[in-house]
Amino acid sequence: MSNFVGAAIAFLLGAGIATGNYFISRHVLKTNPDKYSLTMVARQFVQVAFIVLVYMLGAYTPWDRLWLLVGGVLGMTLPMIWYTIRLVKLNDSVKRKEEKSDG
């Protein structure tokens, strides 16, 4: 039971990172869509850093590292499925607005 608590905490932290990444990406798509690719690099760095931190700090917690890693990865991945759909729709709407203003 104890490992589930650690996994749940890591899941919530991962979901928080995914949510923060979504809001940053959404802001960039709305304000400066040509810089979106730079956002992807920054997001990837934050996600990898989180996983490394979970692994390194996992030794100092009462929970198994494997459970923490699974919770953290699922926490970042599952919300991003929903967020990716929303970002694609936003990107499509931004491109449509640009096409209308071009002609």
Side-chain angles (χ1 to χ4, degrees), residues 5-99:
V5 173
I9 291 170
F11 181 90
L12 292 175
L13 290 173
I17 288 173
T19 302
N21 283 341
Y22 164 71
F23 283 116
I24 291 168
S25 297
R26 186 180 75 171
H27 175 73
V28 170
L29 272 176
K30 285 182 176 181
T31 58
N32 205 353
D34 55 326
K35 303 275 189 208
Y36 183 70
S37 61
L38 296 175
T39 306
M40 298 297 289
V41 173
R43 286 175 47 185
Q44 191 70 27
F45 176 77
V46 169
Q47 291 172 342
V48 170
F50 173 69
I51 294 300
V52 169
L53 281 174
V54 167
Y55 179 78
M56 292 173 60
L57 297 177
Y60 302 104
T61 67
W63 305 297
D64 186 54
R65 282 183 182 169
L66 179 63
W67 285 90
L68 293 174
L69 288 170
V70 168
V73 168
L74 288 175
M76 285 188 296
T77 305
L78 293 178
M80 280 311 296
I81 294 169
W82 171 251
Y83 294 148
T84 300
I85 294 168
R86 293 178 59 123
L87 287 172
V88 168
K89 288 180 182 177
L90 177 63
N91 188 39
D92 290 345
S93 69
V94 167
K95 284 187 178 183
R96 272 190 244 120
K97 288 179 186 175
E98 288 177 0
E99 288 173 1

